[in-house]
Amino acid sequence: MELLNNIAKLHTTELGAVRIKRNLSLDCDDTVVWCREQINSPEAVIERKGKNWYITVNSCIITVNAYSYTIITAHKLKKE
């Protein structure tokens, strides 16, 4: 899997880190490390749609740009 092979390239912007923490109510120092752990999880479902990867794991979706490996955002899955 291309995303997993390039997991070390994963990064985000300052604003991206703030957005991810806010959206997921995270209390961690490094959102990139947290996201990397989630993406590496055996439960993670990874799919590519267009220019982005979408990783569904632990009731949240993480969006990663497929070219730059920038974590764009993450949010909780809405309960139906």
Side-chain angles (χ1 to χ4, degrees):
M1 168 87 40
E2 186 184 346
L3 178 60
L4 295 177
N5 291 341
N6 291 288
I7 198 87
K9 295 181 184 175
L10 220 56
H11 65 279
T12 193
T13 61
E14 277 185 47
L15 285 173
V18 170
R19 184 169 48 244
I20 292 162
K21 281 185 178 181
R22 183 186 64 228
N23 290 354
L24 297 178
S25 306
L26 289 182
D27 184 24
C28 67
D29 293 331
D30 193 333
T31 52
V32 174
V33 169
W34 186 89
C35 288
R36 202 173 280 152
E37 288 170 357
Q38 300 306 307
I39 293 167
N40 274 321
S41 161
E43 293 87 43
V45 176
I46 302 170
E47 55 184 332
R48 183 168 174 177
K49 294 181 192 166
K51 63 182 175 61
N52 292 330
W53 292 100
Y54 295 92
I55 304 91
T56 308
V57 62
N58 295 332
S59 301
C60 69
I61 296 182
I62 302 168
T63 306
V64 178
N65 182 284
Y67 303 108
S68 65
Y69 297 100
T70 304
I71 305 165
I72 299 165
T73 190
H75 54 267
K76 293 178 182 172
L77 279 175
K78 293 176 176 65
K79 293 184 178 72
E80 296 186 17

